[in-house]
Amino acid sequence: MEHVLLIAAGDFKARVARYVLTALAIGVGVALLVALVAVTDATRDYVERTLYKVYPADIMLYSDSINIPMYLVEELRNNAAVETAEGIILISGATEGRVVSVVGIPLRDVNYFAVDLKEGRLPASGGEAVVEESLGVKPGDILVVKVYSGASGVERTLKVKVVGVMRSFLKGFVGAFRLNLVVVPLDWLQGSIDAGPFVNTVLITVKDKAQVQPLYLALKETYRDAQVYTQQSLLDTVTKVFTALNAVFSVISGAALTAAVITTFAVMSITVRERLREFGLLKAMGISSREILLSVVVEVALIAAVAGVAGVVTGFLGANVVKDVLLRMGINFDVPIAFRPHYAALGMAASLAVALIGAVSPMYKVARLRPLEVMQLWR
Amino acid sequence: MAVRLHNVSKIYGDGAARTVALDYVSLEVSPGEVVALMGPSGSGKTTMLNIIAALDRPTSGEVYVMGVDVTKLPESKLEKFRLKNVGYLFQSYNLVSYLTAEQNVALPLMALGVKKELALLRARVLLELVGLEGAARLYPHQMSGGMQQRTALARALAANPPILVLDEPTSNIDLDNASVVLGLIHVVNRLTKTTVFMATHDPDVARVATRVVYMRAGRVYDAVEPPRREFKADMERAAAVYEKLRHVDELIGL
Ligand SMILES: Nc1ncnc2c1ncn2[C@@H]1O[C@H](COP(=O)(O)OP(=O)(O)OP(=O)(O)O)[C@@H](O)[C@H]1O
Ligand SMILES: [Mg+2]
């Protein structure tokens, strides 16, 4: 087989410029593919993890009005399947033209929500609040928030003293997810809006994940007025969004890879036509069509390997560069992009597939060579 | 018999384009003969050589090369057969452009499974035989046409084939190189009993032939045996190189 490599290496050197260009075309497609997959994966991961922080619960019970009695929360805690049950109030409001989410949390359970304090402290008594950094206020500021949800359904004005600022859960990287949280003690909020001993949201964690589904069904049956979500159903929504995103990205990288297939086809067709005379000579010497074909396959595989490695590396680094550029442009896309082994596998497979699909018809021509048909060409 | 053609016809095209390139040709050639094929352009010389070299198949008839009917061999077997039995030299364009002289010569040996180093070793001795020991590392574009043709002759000899097929080997090169090539054909034939087929327009080239066959419109006419002119060639030098080759071949096991 040494002579096959000798032929492959010789031709490769002779046409190195065009083969490098072919590898470049394939590499661009592979890089795009890897970059888009890496960005999608990273973003999805980040959103999923953050979602669990925002709703640290396996099941969430939510009602449009504040009508879930606290004793029901107590009752849920006694349920054998339930690990924890936390009743909170989650309402929206506005301050200085901005939409905020006001959250009432029992003071003793503030830590349950893994608040990531940036400065200041957690609220210790009524009227104190921890707010999300996205609101741009400092500890000591007074915040006036109008809320619309209450037992009476009328507008109320809350005046809170900011005692702490917390990091944003989603770091605000997607505008729509900006929550602008204002976290206050639950009993103070209940008093301020005349809600009485009621909440509108119950966050439940279970002892065993296998109990999520039965408990979810039981809750749906029991609280017909409330909406019941599981963490999984929220994740499913996220997954649906990312599946759509993936489809769009697939079309983009698919177009680049198709262009690479066409480039490979054109280059290999021209090359094979140029080399027909040489192939005829090799055949007259006694080199078989199979060996000539093999030498072409070796070259195509080499092109694919170079393109694959370069594509995977630049795709991954490129994703990070794009992230940095976005960050520098002020777009808060601060998502860690991790390298995963399957990106390399995906990139190499895509590269090999593109090269082989592009080269298959020119290679078929080589395999069919009869020495004389070829010799006729240079009479 | 080294080569036996029996009622061989080759017809190209049909209808108005129908050309009879070989017309019921029969020919028997013994080992060690040097056959010069002469005749006007289009008389069928190249067609005949291609068929003898098993590069082309006749329309009808039988072609025995070293006792094997090559018309019955499948393409896959023909490749190996050519490699072992026939050294072919075209009029021009005989070398792979991206390989050096020694790589070009070594290629058929490597295709036979000879290790690269040994194949290159034999290639260099063969280049010495054709007087190009200093050109082993040159690429074809760095050599004159005559040097290229001599390298190609070394390549045709690479696998020690019993039959050499040369299509106008000297028509594209200068007189000096032509005379070197003819001398080589002569000494190789004398030292190894290689059977040689050679198409040529040049009556002078026929000097190295033991037999001249005239072709006209696809038919062959054996000439009266030409007086074999003793060719002035350095037999001693060639014999010394062949001695070297024999040592290399012991290493290779060729
Ligand atoms: N592939 C082909 N298709 C059609 N006709 C062909 C083909 N090859 C050869 N011929 C015809 O067959 C005849 C013999 O051609 P060939 O090449 O054998 O002649 P030649 O004696 O070698 O001529 P020259 O001295 O010019 O090389 C010619 O009439 C030629 O036109
Ligand atoms: Mg001819």
Side-chain angles (χ1 to χ4, degrees), chain A residues 253-309:
Chain A
S253 44
L257 290 172
T258 305
V261 166
I262 294 167
T263 307
T264 310
F265 171 76
V267 167
M268 290 317 289
S269 297
I270 292 167
T271 304
V272 163
R273 200 171 312 141
E274 279 176 4
R275 292 182 72 188
L276 278 180
R277 221 161 82 127
E278 171 203 330
F279 290 154
L281 174 63
L282 290 170
K283 292 219 63 170
M285 266 189 231
I287 314 288
S288 67
S289 297
R290 209 178 55 89
E291 292 167 320
I292 295 172
L293 177 65
L294 197 58
S295 80
V296 177
V297 171
V298 166
E299 290 185 69
V300 171
L302 182 65
I303 293 169
V306 169
V309 171

Side-chain angles (χ1 to χ4, degrees), chain A residues 2 277-278 283 288-289, chain B residues 79 82-83 93 98 116:
Chain A
E2 271 179 308
R277 221 161 82 127
E278 171 203 330
K283 292 219 63 170
S288 67
S289 297
Chain B
E79 291 160 346
R82 270 200 298 275
L83 195 54
Y93 191 75
Y98 51 75
K116 192 173 167 190

Side-chain angles (χ1 to χ4, degrees), chain A residues 219-270:
Chain A
L219 288 173
K220 252 182 113 87
E221 192 60 30
T222 315
Y223 304 100
R224 288 178 181 279
D225 297 344
Q227 298 153 36
V228 187
Y229 304 101
T230 61
Q231 183 75 25
Q232 197 50 49
S233 69
L234 286 172
L235 287 184
D236 286 349
T237 312
V238 172
T239 303
K240 252 179 234 153
V241 170
F242 280 101
T243 306
L245 202 61
N246 258 338
V248 174
F249 283 179
S250 301
V251 169
I252 296 171
S253 44
L257 290 172
T258 305
V261 166
I262 294 167
T263 307
T264 310
F265 171 76
V267 167
M268 290 317 289
S269 297
I270 292 167

Side-chain angles (χ1 to χ4, degrees), chain A residues 95 100-105 107 110 115 117-133 135 137-145 158-166 180-186 188-189 192:
Chain A
T95 176
V100 298
S101 306
V102 178
V103 192
I105 299 178
L107 262 187
V110 160
V115 169
L117 264 188
K118 199 178 157 197
E119 52 183 322
R121 56 171 176 84
L122 293 174
S125 59
E128 293 184 342
V130 159
V131 302
E132 210 176 328
E133 60 181 342
L135 280 169
V137 294
K138 297 186 304 296
D141 289 356
I142 300 290
L143 209 60
V144 178
V145 183
L158 303 176
K159 208 164 150 194
V160 296
K161 181 165 175 257
V162 177
V163 295
V165 175
M166 63 195 241
N180 293 334
L181 291 175
V182 175
V183 181
V184 296
L186 177 64
W188 177 79
L189 184 61
S192 303

Side-chain angles (χ1 to χ4, degrees), chain B residues 182-234:
Chain B
L182 287 181
L184 284 166
I185 292 166
H186 180 70
V187 296
V188 167
N189 168 256
R190 290 286 294 271
L191 290 172
T192 65
K193 298 284 166 283
T194 303
T195 311
V196 182
F197 292 84
M198 184 169 52
T200 182
H201 287 285
D202 180 1
D204 208 37
V205 169
R207 283 187 306 158
V208 294
T210 59
R211 179 174 170 189
V212 174
V213 172
Y214 286 105
M215 294 200 71
R216 186 172 286 273
R219 290 170 187 254
V220 295
Y221 306 90
D222 232 310
V224 190
E225 188 107 0
R228 175 145 188 156
R229 287 222 222 146
E230 255 332 302
F231 200 85
K232 277 197 254 85
D234 192 344

Side-chain angles (χ1 to χ4, degrees), chain A residues 45-366:
Chain A
D45 252 30
Y46 184 72
V47 170
E48 282 182 4
R49 261 186 289 119
T50 310
L51 209 61
Y52 206 86
K53 269 200 212 158
V54 177
Y55 301 115
D58 297 310
I59 300 173
M60 185 175 101
L61 202 62
Y62 176 79
S63 174
D64 285 332
S65 50
I66 302 171
N67 60 2
I68 303 174
M70 292 290 278
Y71 72 83
L72 270 179
V73 179
E74 214 46 57
E75 221 162 70
L76 271 170
R77 285 202 179 109
N78 295 330
N79 187 310
V82 172
E83 170 90 41
T84 63
E86 203 62 55
I88 62 170
I89 291 177
L90 190 63
I91 50 178
S92 50
T95 176
E96 289 160 14
R98 282 204 285 177
V99 175
V100 298
S101 306
V102 178
V103 192
I105 299 178
L107 262 187
R108 63 184 154 86
D109 287 331
V110 160
N111 269 323
Y112 174 80
F113 296 94
V115 169
D116 187 6
L117 264 188
K118 199 178 157 197
E119 52 183 322
R121 56 171 176 84
L122 293 174
S125 59
E128 293 184 342
V130 159
V131 302
E132 210 176 328
E133 60 181 342
S134 53
L135 280 169
V137 294
K138 297 186 304 296
D141 289 356
I142 300 290
L143 209 60
V144 178
V145 183
K146 285 199 171 73
V147 295
Y148 304 94
S149 193
S152 52
V154 296
E155 183 184 312
R156 304 282 175 138
T157 302
L158 303 176
K159 208 164 150 194
V160 296
K161 181 165 175 257
V162 177
V163 295
V165 175
M166 63 195 241
R167 287 199 177 79
S168 295
F169 282 125
L170 290 156
K171 294 183 185 159
F173 84 101
V174 181
F177 283 145
R178 192 159 283 170
L179 294 170
N180 293 334
L181 291 175
V182 175
V183 181
V184 296
L186 177 64
D187 48 5
W188 177 79
L189 184 61
Q190 285 171 330
S192 303
I193 57 176
D194 293 336
F198 293 92
V199 293
N200 69 347
T201 304
V202 183
L203 302 171
I204 303 160
T205 58
V206 294
K207 291 184 175 130
D208 174 2
K209 296 285 177 207
Q211 290 161 336
V212 169
Q213 205 54 23
L215 187 60
Y216 163 74
L217 292 174
L219 288 173
K220 252 182 113 87
E221 192 60 30
T222 315
Y223 304 100
R224 288 178 181 279
D225 297 344
Q227 298 153 36
V228 187
Y229 304 101
T230 61
Q231 183 75 25
Q232 197 50 49
S233 69
L234 286 172
L235 287 184
D236 286 349
T237 312
V238 172
T239 303
K240 252 179 234 153
V241 170
F242 280 101
T243 306
L245 202 61
N246 258 338
V248 174
F249 283 179
S250 301
V251 169
I252 296 171
S253 44
L257 290 172
T258 305
V261 166
I262 294 167
T263 307
T264 310
F265 171 76
V267 167
M268 290 317 289
S269 297
I270 292 167
T271 304
V272 163
R273 200 171 312 141
E274 279 176 4
R275 292 182 72 188
L276 278 180
R277 221 161 82 127
E278 171 203 330
F279 290 154
L281 174 63
L282 290 170
K283 292 219 63 170
M285 266 189 231
I287 314 288
S288 67
S289 297
R290 209 178 55 89
E291 292 167 320
I292 295 172
L293 177 65
L294 197 58
S295 80
V296 177
V297 171
V298 166
E299 290 185 69
V300 171
L302 182 65
I303 293 169
V306 169
V309 171
V312 169
V313 171
T314 49
F316 179 68
L317 295 181
N320 280 288
V321 168
V322 168
K323 186 185 94 175
D324 287 350
V325 168
L326 289 179
L327 280 176
R328 216 156 298 154
M329 281 167 61
I331 296 166
N332 199 0
F333 182 76
D334 195 7
V335 168
I337 298 175
F339 187 80
R340 298 175 192 193
H342 78 257
Y343 297 161
L346 177 74
M348 294 309 284
S351 178
L352 207 63
V354 165
L356 285 181
I357 294 169
V360 72
S361 129
M363 289 195 303
Y364 179 71
K365 219 180 260 171
V366 175

